[in-house]
Amino acid sequence: MQLVSVERAHEYSSCLPAEPQQQSPQPPPSWPRCGSVEFRRVVLVYREGLPKALDDVSLAVRGGEKVGIVGRTGSGKSSLFAALFRTAEVNGGRILLDGLDVAGVGLRQLRSRLAIVPQDPFVFSGTVRENLDPCGRHRDRQLLEVLNQCHLGPAVDAMGGLDAELLHRGRTFSLGQRQLLCLARALLTEAQVLCVDEATASVDRQTDRLLQKTIAERFRHRTVLTIAHRINTVMDCDRVLVMHAGKVVDFDTPAALRRKDGSLFRRLLGGEADRDASTPAGEQTPSPDVHV
Ligand code: ATP
Ligand code: MG
């Protein structure tokens, strides 16, 4: 297995085409100041011959807005983030972050100004500290605070604290705990835009609610794009973006979408919307997974 790692490292370093080098001129250090995100007629095809993962997507998110993203599996939700972070280069259209086309920004700069909690939580083999703060920018107090906010404090304590080793890329943590660790890492950044991809898929409802609160508090004035699982998350957003087959089918306030007859959003909620709305916080009925 270790030899395969060496083989893979060799392949990655010598055979894969490199991502583009730094572009110039570089964006100002304060960019993006307000965190507005605009997609203009964006088309994304992962490989030749495959269907369009994003098909003529246009949308504008205001700085500081909280947007929930829903849609069936394979509808292109994660691809929106892939295009924004340029882990996949778009085949057409433009993406503007505070009015600046991300295609012209160096990848290191671009990605350092955004934060993501990916669908597949990324954890390195290394210490908790290295995972949270790979560049060593933060004090222990800040790291412990953010771990507590993400409800990981007791688990990390039990392992031996910030210098405890996470073996096998964090497999000693459950999937939910790894997602929480990625969220903690994102909360530590100064990024103006936070992208959360189903971060709470494997987290129980009680923890999920507390996490939503943490995100709302720490990112109150910043933009948050959340690929949402549960009705409550979506209902608390300023607007909901509904994706279908790579296209935007709706983008409006949750209340407006819910009223809209025959909307995909209503169908995704499967009639749960009306019931949930009339149920007070702390409801007993489980919400459906709105993305499926
Ligand atoms: P889910 O709810 O299952 O996470 P999604 O809405 O996030 O789905 P995407 O991951 O954006 O969907 O996928 C959109 C389409 O692009 C799908 O048809 C998927 O198979 C395809 N796709 C996604 N990532 C890749 C990739 N790296 N290479 C090739 N095709 C991909
Ligand atoms: Mg996805």
Side-chain angles (χ1 to χ4, degrees):
M1 275 165 68
Q2 304 256 320
L3 277 171
V4 171
S5 305
V6 175
E7 187 183 308
R8 206 171 273 170
H10 170 69
E11 187 187 329
Y12 287 172
S13 60
S14 57
C15 308
L16 278 184
E19 289 186 311
Q21 297 297 309
Q22 303 285 53
Q23 281 112 325
S24 54
Q26 293 305 323
S30 59
W31 174 84
R33 196 180 286 277
C34 103
S36 68
V37 180
E38 188 180 351
F39 279 56
R40 284 193 195 158
R41 311 208 63 174
V42 171
V43 176
L44 176 66
V45 181
Y46 282 100
R47 271 192 305 280
E48 223 179 285
L50 289 180
K52 292 173 185 164
L54 296 178
D55 187 359
D56 200 13
V57 168
S58 295
L59 57 97
V61 176
R62 294 183 291 271
E65 202 172 5
K66 310 291 178 278
V67 173
I69 303 169
V70 298
R72 292 182 196 286
T73 188
S75 58
K77 303 180 299 294
S78 300
S79 300
L80 292 169
F81 293 173
L84 178 61
F85 280 77
R86 289 178 55 203
T87 49
E89 294 287 355
V90 299
N91 303 75
R94 302 193 323 143
I95 300 175
L96 308 174
L97 193 53
D98 267 13
L100 192 64
D101 192 337
V102 298
V105 179
L107 288 177
R108 191 182 288 261
Q109 258 81 12
L110 173 66
R111 292 173 189 167
S112 68
R113 312 294 168 86
L114 302 164
I116 188 163
V117 181
Q119 191 164 16
D120 186 13
F122 200 90
V123 175
F124 308 96
S125 296
T127 64
V128 175
R129 182 195 304 281
E130 285 162 350
N131 266 286
L132 269 183
D133 183 22
C135 302
R137 293 208 179 99
H138 300 276
R139 294 172 186 279
D140 282 13
R141 193 178 46 78
Q142 293 170 298
L143 301 183
L144 293 171
E145 183 188 315
V146 88
L147 282 174
N148 280 328
Q149 284 176 339
C150 293
H151 307 277
L152 273 178
V156 170
D157 269 351
M159 289 170 59
L162 289 172
D163 291 313
E165 291 278 338
L166 291 173
L167 302 173
H168 309 296
R169 295 185 53 197
R171 292 292 184 274
T172 34
F173 268 173
S174 72
L175 180 64
Q177 286 174 319
R178 274 180 271 144
Q179 287 181 320
L180 296 180
L181 193 67
C182 289
L183 177 63
R185 190 193 286 146
L187 292 182
L188 276 172
T189 70
E190 297 298 313
Q192 205 57 37
V193 180
L194 171 67
C195 299
V196 185
D197 195 347
E198 300 178 313
T200 52
S202 311
V203 172
D204 63 87
R205 285 171 70 74
Q206 173 72 13
T207 312
D208 181 32
R209 202 166 285 140
L210 293 168
L211 286 172
Q212 295 304 332
K213 209 168 143 240
T214 304
I215 293 175
E217 276 164 15
R218 291 199 59 131
F219 280 77
R220 183 172 301 150
H221 303 293
R222 297 185 266 175
T223 310
V224 183
L225 309 177
T226 309
I227 294 176
H229 255 266
R230 293 177 169 126
I231 288 184
N232 291 348
T233 320
V234 194
M235 289 305 175
D236 288 343
C237 290
D238 298 324
R239 284 194 292 167
V240 177
L241 175 71
V242 185
M243 295 291 297
H244 182 68
K247 288 179 183 290
V248 174
V249 289
D250 267 315
F251 191 22
D252 210 334
T253 62
L257 287 183
R258 203 169 158 151
R259 281 194 302 268
K260 193 170 158 187
D261 271 342
S263 74
L264 182 62
F265 183 62
R266 272 184 85 118
R267 269 182 281 146
L268 284 170
L269 300 187
E272 287 280 331
D274 298 327
R275 199 170 83 213
D276 246 24
S278 56
T279 319
E283 77 278 21
Q284 301 300 309
T285 46
S287 301
D289 280 352
V290 291
H291 76 296
V292 206

mmCIF file of all heavy atoms in Angstrom, residues 15-56:
data_model
loop_
_atom_site.group_PDB
_atom_site.id
_atom_site.type_symbol
_atom_site.label_atom_id
_atom_site.label_comp_id
_atom_site.label_asym_id
_atom_site.label_seq_id
_atom_site.Cartn_x
_atom_site.Cartn_y
_atom_site.Cartn_z
ATOM 1 N N CYS A 15 3.116 13.246 -14.324
ATOM 2 C CA CYS A 15 2.292 12.899 -15.488
ATOM 3 C C CYS A 15 1.051 13.769 -15.648
ATOM 4 O O CYS A 15 0.537 13.908 -16.758
ATOM 5 C CB CYS A 15 1.851 11.444 -15.416
ATOM 6 S SG CYS A 15 3.222 10.325 -15.159
ATOM 7 N N LEU A 16 0.540 14.319 -14.555
ATOM 8 C CA LEU A 16 -0.686 15.113 -14.672
ATOM 9 C C LEU A 16 -0.373 16.493 -15.226
ATOM 10 O O LEU A 16 0.628 17.086 -14.852
ATOM 11 C CB LEU A 16 -1.337 15.303 -13.289
ATOM 12 C CG LEU A 16 -2.205 14.204 -12.719
ATOM 13 C CD1 LEU A 16 -2.808 14.675 -11.404
ATOM 14 C CD2 LEU A 16 -3.317 13.824 -13.687
ATOM 15 N N PRO A 17 -1.229 17.010 -16.118
ATOM 16 C CA PRO A 17 -1.005 18.390 -16.557
ATOM 17 C C PRO A 17 -1.139 19.344 -15.365
ATOM 18 O O PRO A 17 -2.037 19.169 -14.535
ATOM 19 C CB PRO A 17 -2.116 18.640 -17.585
ATOM 20 C CG PRO A 17 -3.029 17.466 -17.535
ATOM 21 C CD PRO A 17 -2.403 16.382 -16.712
ATOM 22 N N ALA A 18 -0.226 20.302 -15.265
ATOM 23 C CA ALA A 18 -0.246 21.225 -14.122
ATOM 24 C C ALA A 18 -1.388 22.217 -14.256
ATOM 25 O O ALA A 18 -1.797 22.549 -15.364
ATOM 26 C CB ALA A 18 1.071 21.972 -14.043
ATOM 27 N N GLU A 19 -1.905 22.671 -13.106
ATOM 28 C CA GLU A 19 -2.896 23.744 -13.132
ATOM 29 C C GLU A 19 -2.183 25.015 -13.591
ATOM 30 O O GLU A 19 -0.968 25.135 -13.460
ATOM 31 C CB GLU A 19 -3.474 23.946 -11.722
ATOM 32 C CG GLU A 19 -4.370 22.803 -11.316
ATOM 33 C CD GLU A 19 -5.064 23.058 -9.981
ATOM 34 O OE1 GLU A 19 -4.358 23.433 -9.032
ATOM 35 O OE2 GLU A 19 -6.283 22.890 -9.897
ATOM 36 N N PRO A 20 -2.950 25.984 -14.136
ATOM 37 C CA PRO A 20 -2.286 27.173 -14.661
ATOM 38 C C PRO A 20 -1.486 27.918 -13.591
ATOM 39 O O PRO A 20 -1.839 27.897 -12.417
ATOM 40 C CB PRO A 20 -3.443 28.046 -15.163
ATOM 41 C CG PRO A 20 -4.691 27.356 -14.788
ATOM 42 C CD PRO A 20 -4.388 26.010 -14.281
ATOM 43 N N GLN A 21 -0.391 28.534 -14.025
ATOM 44 C CA GLN A 21 0.453 29.305 -13.113
ATOM 45 C C GLN A 21 -0.259 30.582 -12.693
ATOM 46 O O GLN A 21 -1.321 30.913 -13.213
ATOM 47 C CB GLN A 21 1.770 29.658 -13.810
ATOM 48 C CG GLN A 21 2.605 28.459 -14.195
ATOM 49 C CD GLN A 21 3.040 27.664 -12.970
ATOM 50 O OE1 GLN A 21 3.572 28.236 -12.031
ATOM 51 N NE2 GLN A 21 2.809 26.364 -12.978
ATOM 52 N N GLN A 22 0.387 31.307 -11.783
ATOM 53 C CA GLN A 22 -0.166 32.579 -11.324
ATOM 54 C C GLN A 22 -0.410 33.502 -12.504
ATOM 55 O O GLN A 22 0.420 33.612 -13.385
ATOM 56 C CB GLN A 22 0.823 33.298 -10.408
ATOM 57 C CG GLN A 22 1.250 32.496 -9.214
ATOM 58 C CD GLN A 22 0.154 32.428 -8.169
ATOM 59 O OE1 GLN A 22 -0.975 32.059 -8.467
ATOM 60 N NE2 GLN A 22 0.479 32.782 -6.966
ATOM 61 N N GLN A 23 -1.567 34.150 -12.490
ATOM 62 C CA GLN A 23 -1.805 35.152 -13.508
ATOM 63 C C GLN A 23 -1.518 36.525 -12.923
ATOM 64 O O GLN A 23 -1.500 36.695 -11.723
ATOM 65 C CB GLN A 23 -3.266 35.104 -13.983
ATOM 66 C CG GLN A 23 -3.515 33.986 -14.970
ATOM 67 C CD GLN A 23 -4.417 32.911 -14.372
ATOM 68 O OE1 GLN A 23 -4.341 32.622 -13.187
ATOM 69 N NE2 GLN A 23 -5.248 32.324 -15.205
ATOM 70 N N SER A 24 -1.251 37.456 -13.752
ATOM 71 C CA SER A 24 -1.064 38.813 -13.256
ATOM 72 C C SER A 24 -1.969 39.730 -14.066
ATOM 73 O O SER A 24 -2.315 39.393 -15.193
ATOM 74 C CB SER A 24 0.396 39.235 -13.394
ATOM 75 O OG SER A 24 0.803 39.042 -14.724
ATOM 76 N N PRO A 25 -2.393 40.861 -13.590
ATOM 77 C CA PRO A 25 -2.046 41.367 -12.271
ATOM 78 C C PRO A 25 -2.831 40.659 -11.168
ATOM 79 O O PRO A 25 -3.909 40.134 -11.422
ATOM 80 C CB PRO A 25 -2.479 42.832 -12.381
ATOM 81 C CG PRO A 25 -3.627 42.806 -13.358
ATOM 82 C CD PRO A 25 -3.309 41.731 -14.340
ATOM 83 N N GLN A 26 -2.256 40.653 -9.983
ATOM 84 C CA GLN A 26 -2.909 40.009 -8.844
ATOM 85 C C GLN A 26 -4.038 40.883 -8.296
ATOM 86 O O GLN A 26 -3.960 42.110 -8.381
ATOM 87 C CB GLN A 26 -1.889 39.758 -7.744
ATOM 88 C CG GLN A 26 -0.838 38.733 -8.134
ATOM 89 C CD GLN A 26 -1.448 37.414 -8.571
ATOM 90 O OE1 GLN A 26 -2.450 36.976 -8.025
ATOM 91 N NE2 GLN A 26 -0.870 36.793 -9.577
ATOM 92 N N PRO A 27 -5.072 40.252 -7.730
ATOM 93 C CA PRO A 27 -6.142 41.066 -7.153
ATOM 94 C C PRO A 27 -5.652 41.777 -5.892
ATOM 95 O O PRO A 27 -4.704 41.311 -5.262
ATOM 96 C CB PRO A 27 -7.216 40.030 -6.800
ATOM 97 C CG PRO A 27 -6.466 38.761 -6.624
ATOM 98 C CD PRO A 27 -5.281 38.824 -7.532
ATOM 99 N N PRO A 28 -6.282 42.892 -5.528
ATOM 100 C CA PRO A 28 -5.869 43.585 -4.301
ATOM 101 C C PRO A 28 -6.087 42.690 -3.080
ATOM 102 O O PRO A 28 -6.963 41.823 -3.105
ATOM 103 C CB PRO A 28 -6.798 44.810 -4.249
ATOM 104 C CG PRO A 28 -7.894 44.543 -5.213
ATOM 105 C CD PRO A 28 -7.400 43.541 -6.204
ATOM 106 N N PRO A 29 -5.282 42.865 -2.024
ATOM 107 C CA PRO A 29 -5.389 41.996 -0.838
ATOM 108 C C PRO A 29 -6.789 42.032 -0.215
ATOM 109 O O PRO A 29 -7.203 41.054 0.415
ATOM 110 C CB PRO A 29 -4.366 42.586 0.144
ATOM 111 C CG PRO A 29 -3.511 43.484 -0.656
ATOM 112 C CD PRO A 29 -4.229 43.871 -1.898
ATOM 113 N N SER A 30 -7.497 43.132 -0.404
ATOM 114 C CA SER A 30 -8.816 43.234 0.237
ATOM 115 C C SER A 30 -9.918 42.575 -0.594
ATOM 116 O O SER A 30 -11.058 42.504 -0.158
ATOM 117 C CB SER A 30 -9.171 44.706 0.442
ATOM 118 O OG SER A 30 -9.171 45.354 -0.811
ATOM 119 N N TRP A 31 -9.565 42.067 -1.784
ATOM 120 C CA TRP A 31 -10.574 41.441 -2.639
ATOM 121 C C TRP A 31 -10.897 40.034 -2.137
ATOM 122 O O TRP A 31 -9.963 39.334 -1.765
ATOM 123 C CB TRP A 31 -10.036 41.380 -4.069
ATOM 124 C CG TRP A 31 -10.921 40.635 -5.027
ATOM 125 C CD1 TRP A 31 -11.985 41.118 -5.697
ATOM 126 C CD2 TRP A 31 -10.774 39.263 -5.437
ATOM 127 N NE1 TRP A 31 -12.526 40.139 -6.491
ATOM 128 C CE2 TRP A 31 -11.808 38.986 -6.347
ATOM 129 C CE3 TRP A 31 -9.891 38.223 -5.113
ATOM 130 C CZ2 TRP A 31 -11.977 37.740 -6.945
ATOM 131 C CZ3 TRP A 31 -10.058 36.971 -5.703
ATOM 132 C CH2 TRP A 31 -11.098 36.745 -6.612
ATOM 133 N N PRO A 32 -12.089 39.595 -2.139
ATOM 134 C CA PRO A 32 -13.336 40.318 -2.410
ATOM 135 C C PRO A 32 -13.866 40.979 -1.128
ATOM 136 O O PRO A 32 -13.979 40.322 -0.112
ATOM 137 C CB PRO A 32 -14.287 39.203 -2.855
ATOM 138 C CG PRO A 32 -13.787 37.972 -2.140
ATOM 139 C CD PRO A 32 -12.324 38.162 -1.880
ATOM 140 N N ARG A 33 -14.142 42.236 -1.214
ATOM 141 C CA ARG A 33 -14.529 42.988 -0.028
ATOM 142 C C ARG A 33 -15.967 42.665 0.387
ATOM 143 O O ARG A 33 -16.277 42.505 1.547
ATOM 144 C CB ARG A 33 -14.417 44.494 -0.318
ATOM 145 C CG ARG A 33 -14.411 45.337 0.939
ATOM 146 C CD ARG A 33 -14.294 46.792 0.576
ATOM 147 N NE ARG A 33 -12.949 47.157 0.137
ATOM 148 C CZ ARG A 33 -11.954 47.457 0.961
ATOM 149 N NH1 ARG A 33 -12.149 47.433 2.258
ATOM 150 N NH2 ARG A 33 -10.777 47.776 0.499
ATOM 151 N N CYS A 34 -16.855 42.559 -0.639
ATOM 152 C CA CYS A 34 -18.255 42.384 -0.241
ATOM 153 C C CYS A 34 -18.768 40.954 -0.467
ATOM 154 O O CYS A 34 -19.717 40.534 0.173
ATOM 155 C CB CYS A 34 -19.118 43.475 -0.886
ATOM 156 S SG CYS A 34 -20.078 42.978 -2.263
ATOM 157 N N GLY A 35 -18.083 40.169 -1.312
ATOM 158 C CA GLY A 35 -18.446 38.750 -1.449
ATOM 159 C C GLY A 35 -19.618 38.475 -2.379
ATOM 160 O O GLY A 35 -20.327 37.485 -2.204
ATOM 161 N N SER A 36 -19.822 39.332 -3.379
ATOM 162 C CA SER A 36 -20.884 39.027 -4.340
ATOM 163 C C SER A 36 -20.353 38.011 -5.360
ATOM 164 O O SER A 36 -19.174 38.029 -5.718
ATOM 165 C CB SER A 36 -21.352 40.305 -5.054
ATOM 166 O OG SER A 36 -20.342 40.791 -5.889
ATOM 167 N N VAL A 37 -21.229 37.117 -5.778
ATOM 168 C CA VAL A 37 -20.837 36.055 -6.716
ATOM 169 C C VAL A 37 -21.802 36.080 -7.886
ATOM 170 O O VAL A 37 -23.021 36.027 -7.688
ATOM 171 C CB VAL A 37 -20.918 34.658 -6.047
ATOM 172 C CG1 VAL A 37 -20.514 33.565 -7.019
ATOM 173 C CG2 VAL A 37 -20.057 34.603 -4.790
ATOM 174 N N GLU A 38 -21.255 36.173 -9.093
ATOM 175 C CA GLU A 38 -22.136 36.189 -10.253
ATOM 176 C C GLU A 38 -21.678 35.171 -11.294
ATOM 177 O O GLU A 38 -20.502 35.135 -11.662
ATOM 178 C CB GLU A 38 -22.149 37.605 -10.874
ATOM 179 C CG GLU A 38 -23.184 37.711 -11.964
ATOM 180 C CD GLU A 38 -23.238 39.102 -12.603
ATOM 181 O OE1 GLU A 38 -22.584 40.030 -12.086
ATOM 182 O OE2 GLU A 38 -23.918 39.226 -13.631
ATOM 183 N N PHE A 39 -22.601 34.322 -11.723
ATOM 184 C CA PHE A 39 -22.336 33.399 -12.833
ATOM 185 C C PHE A 39 -23.018 33.988 -14.059
ATOM 186 O O PHE A 39 -24.198 34.331 -13.998
ATOM 187 C CB PHE A 39 -22.962 32.009 -12.551
ATOM 188 C CG PHE A 39 -22.148 31.128 -11.642
ATOM 189 C CD1 PHE A 39 -21.770 31.553 -10.382
ATOM 190 C CD2 PHE A 39 -21.773 29.842 -12.048
ATOM 191 C CE1 PHE A 39 -21.031 30.727 -9.534
ATOM 192 C CE2 PHE A 39 -21.042 29.013 -11.205
ATOM 193 C CZ PHE A 39 -20.667 29.448 -9.955
ATOM 194 N N ARG A 40 -22.269 34.110 -15.160
ATOM 195 C CA ARG A 40 -22.869 34.604 -16.398
ATOM 196 C C ARG A 40 -22.744 33.542 -17.479
ATOM 197 O O ARG A 40 -21.639 33.265 -17.948
ATOM 198 C CB ARG A 40 -22.129 35.865 -16.883
ATOM 199 C CG ARG A 40 -22.492 37.090 -16.092
ATOM 200 C CD ARG A 40 -21.983 38.329 -16.801
ATOM 201 N NE ARG A 40 -22.003 39.450 -15.895
ATOM 202 C CZ ARG A 40 -21.282 40.540 -16.028
ATOM 203 N NH1 ARG A 40 -20.445 40.654 -17.050
ATOM 204 N NH2 ARG A 40 -21.379 41.516 -15.162
ATOM 205 N N ARG A 41 -23.845 32.928 -17.782
ATOM 206 C CA ARG A 41 -23.943 31.937 -18.870
ATOM 207 C C ARG A 41 -22.827 30.885 -18.792
ATOM 208 O O ARG A 41 -22.128 30.617 -19.774
ATOM 209 C CB ARG A 41 -23.928 32.648 -20.217
ATOM 210 C CG ARG A 41 -24.912 33.808 -20.294
ATOM 211 C CD ARG A 41 -25.389 34.048 -21.675
ATOM 212 N NE ARG A 41 -26.122 32.884 -22.159
ATOM 213 C CZ ARG A 41 -26.769 32.840 -23.313
ATOM 214 N NH1 ARG A 41 -26.771 33.879 -24.101
ATOM 215 N NH2 ARG A 41 -27.406 31.756 -23.689
ATOM 216 N N VAL A 42 -22.670 30.324 -17.611
ATOM 217 C CA VAL A 42 -21.565 29.381 -17.386
ATOM 218 C C VAL A 42 -21.922 27.982 -17.906
ATOM 219 O O VAL A 42 -23.000 27.457 -17.632
ATOM 220 C CB VAL A 42 -21.197 29.320 -15.881
ATOM 221 C CG1 VAL A 42 -20.214 28.193 -15.598
ATOM 222 C CG2 VAL A 42 -20.629 30.661 -15.428
ATOM 223 N N VAL A 43 -20.982 27.424 -18.653
ATOM 224 C CA VAL A 43 -21.116 26.050 -19.152
ATOM 225 C C VAL A 43 -19.920 25.261 -18.628
ATOM 226 O O VAL A 43 -18.787 25.733 -18.681
ATOM 227 C CB VAL A 43 -21.119 26.022 -20.700
ATOM 228 C CG1 VAL A 43 -21.153 24.586 -21.210
ATOM 229 C CG2 VAL A 43 -22.296 26.817 -21.250
ATOM 230 N N LEU A 44 -20.196 24.068 -18.075
ATOM 231 C CA LEU A 44 -19.106 23.228 -17.592
ATOM 232 C C LEU A 44 -19.298 21.801 -18.095
ATOM 233 O O LEU A 44 -20.352 21.198 -17.896
ATOM 234 C CB LEU A 44 -19.081 23.238 -16.048
ATOM 235 C CG LEU A 44 -18.054 22.325 -15.388
ATOM 236 C CD1 LEU A 44 -16.643 22.770 -15.672
ATOM 237 C CD2 LEU A 44 -18.271 22.262 -13.883
ATOM 238 N N VAL A 45 -18.279 21.298 -18.778
ATOM 239 C CA VAL A 45 -18.282 19.904 -19.237
ATOM 240 C C VAL A 45 -17.016 19.278 -18.675
ATOM 241 O O VAL A 45 -15.920 19.771 -18.921
ATOM 242 C CB VAL A 45 -18.264 19.833 -20.790
ATOM 243 C CG1 VAL A 45 -18.283 18.389 -21.264
ATOM 244 C CG2 VAL A 45 -19.434 20.604 -21.376
ATOM 245 N N TYR A 46 -17.158 18.211 -17.887
ATOM 246 C CA TYR A 46 -15.977 17.655 -17.233
ATOM 247 C C TYR A 46 -15.016 17.011 -18.228
ATOM 248 O O TYR A 46 -13.817 17.156 -18.106
ATOM 249 C CB TYR A 46 -16.377 16.638 -16.163
ATOM 250 C CG TYR A 46 -16.857 17.300 -14.886
ATOM 251 C CD1 TYR A 46 -18.217 17.432 -14.611
ATOM 252 C CD2 TYR A 46 -15.951 17.814 -13.971
ATOM 253 C CE1 TYR A 46 -18.648 18.034 -13.442
ATOM 254 C CE2 TYR A 46 -16.374 18.424 -12.798
ATOM 255 C CZ TYR A 46 -17.734 18.533 -12.538
ATOM 256 O OH TYR A 46 -18.160 19.140 -11.394
ATOM 257 N N ARG A 47 -15.596 16.289 -19.173
ATOM 258 C CA ARG A 47 -14.755 15.662 -20.201
ATOM 259 C C ARG A 47 -15.513 15.632 -21.500
ATOM 260 O O ARG A 47 -16.753 15.581 -21.502
ATOM 261 C CB ARG A 47 -14.385 14.227 -19.798
ATOM 262 C CG ARG A 47 -13.123 14.129 -18.982
ATOM 263 C CD ARG A 47 -12.643 12.680 -18.854
ATOM 264 N NE ARG A 47 -13.656 11.780 -18.310
ATOM 265 C CZ ARG A 47 -13.937 11.687 -17.003
ATOM 266 N NH1 ARG A 47 -13.280 12.427 -16.133
ATOM 267 N NH2 ARG A 47 -14.857 10.867 -16.579
ATOM 268 N N GLU A 48 -14.759 15.656 -22.581
ATOM 269 C CA GLU A 48 -15.393 15.630 -23.896
ATOM 270 C C GLU A 48 -16.321 14.417 -24.007
ATOM 271 O O GLU A 48 -15.976 13.324 -23.562
ATOM 272 C CB GLU A 48 -14.302 15.524 -24.965
ATOM 273 C CG GLU A 48 -14.534 16.444 -26.148
ATOM 274 C CD GLU A 48 -13.406 16.300 -27.158
ATOM 275 O OE1 GLU A 48 -12.322 16.834 -26.869
ATOM 276 O OE2 GLU A 48 -13.625 15.624 -28.177
ATOM 277 N N GLY A 49 -17.483 14.646 -24.556
ATOM 278 C CA GLY A 49 -18.415 13.540 -24.733
ATOM 279 C C GLY A 49 -19.401 13.396 -23.585
ATOM 280 O O GLY A 49 -20.420 12.727 -23.718
ATOM 281 N N LEU A 50 -19.087 14.017 -22.430
ATOM 282 C CA LEU A 50 -20.012 13.951 -21.296
ATOM 283 C C LEU A 50 -21.040 15.073 -21.424
ATOM 284 O O LEU A 50 -20.773 16.102 -22.039
ATOM 285 C CB LEU A 50 -19.253 14.126 -19.974
ATOM 286 C CG LEU A 50 -18.352 12.976 -19.533
ATOM 287 C CD1 LEU A 50 -17.666 13.310 -18.215
ATOM 288 C CD2 LEU A 50 -19.151 11.690 -19.397
ATOM 289 N N PRO A 51 -22.227 14.886 -20.841
ATOM 290 C CA PRO A 51 -23.216 15.977 -20.889
ATOM 291 C C PRO A 51 -22.745 17.179 -20.067
ATOM 292 O O PRO A 51 -21.834 17.062 -19.247
ATOM 293 C CB PRO A 51 -24.472 15.349 -20.269
ATOM 294 C CG PRO A 51 -24.047 14.077 -19.634
ATOM 295 C CD PRO A 51 -22.708 13.692 -20.160
ATOM 296 N N LYS A 52 -23.397 18.318 -20.300
ATOM 297 C CA LYS A 52 -23.003 19.527 -19.576
ATOM 298 C C LYS A 52 -23.406 19.403 -18.105
ATOM 299 O O LYS A 52 -24.577 19.198 -17.803
ATOM 300 C CB LYS A 52 -23.717 20.751 -20.168
ATOM 301 C CG LYS A 52 -23.252 21.090 -21.571
ATOM 302 C CD LYS A 52 -24.121 22.184 -22.148
ATOM 303 C CE LYS A 52 -23.737 22.422 -23.593
ATOM 304 N NZ LYS A 52 -24.741 23.178 -24.331
ATOM 305 N N ALA A 53 -22.431 19.533 -17.209
ATOM 306 C CA ALA A 53 -22.737 19.496 -15.772
ATOM 307 C C ALA A 53 -23.364 20.829 -15.363
ATOM 308 O O ALA A 53 -24.203 20.875 -14.470
ATOM 309 C CB ALA A 53 -21.477 19.212 -14.977
ATOM 310 N N LEU A 54 -22.932 21.922 -16.004
ATOM 311 C CA LEU A 54 -23.592 23.224 -15.849
ATOM 312 C C LEU A 54 -23.937 23.702 -17.249
ATOM 313 O O LEU A 54 -23.082 23.724 -18.136
ATOM 314 C CB LEU A 54 -22.676 24.237 -15.157
ATOM 315 C CG LEU A 54 -22.276 23.923 -13.718
ATOM 316 C CD1 LEU A 54 -21.327 24.997 -13.177
ATOM 317 C CD2 LEU A 54 -23.492 23.782 -12.802
ATOM 318 N N ASP A 55 -25.202 24.057 -17.427
ATOM 319 C CA ASP A 55 -25.683 24.349 -18.768
ATOM 320 C C ASP A 55 -26.284 25.761 -18.806
ATOM 321 O O ASP A 55 -27.420 25.954 -18.408
ATOM 322 C CB ASP A 55 -26.736 23.286 -19.124
ATOM 323 C CG ASP A 55 -27.197 23.391 -20.562
ATOM 324 O OD1 ASP A 55 -26.719 24.288 -21.269
ATOM 325 O OD2 ASP A 55 -28.034 22.552 -20.965
ATOM 326 N N ASP A 56 -25.455 26.719 -19.198
ATOM 327 C CA ASP A 56 -25.916 28.094 -19.352
ATOM 328 C C ASP A 56 -26.454 28.645 -18.017
ATOM 329 O O ASP A 56 -27.574 29.151 -17.944
ATOM 330 C CB ASP A 56 -27.014 28.134 -20.426
ATOM 331 C CG ASP A 56 -27.196 29.548 -20.979
ATOM 332 O OD1 ASP A 56 -26.332 30.402 -20.719
ATOM 333 O OD2 ASP A 56 -28.210 29.785 -21.654
#
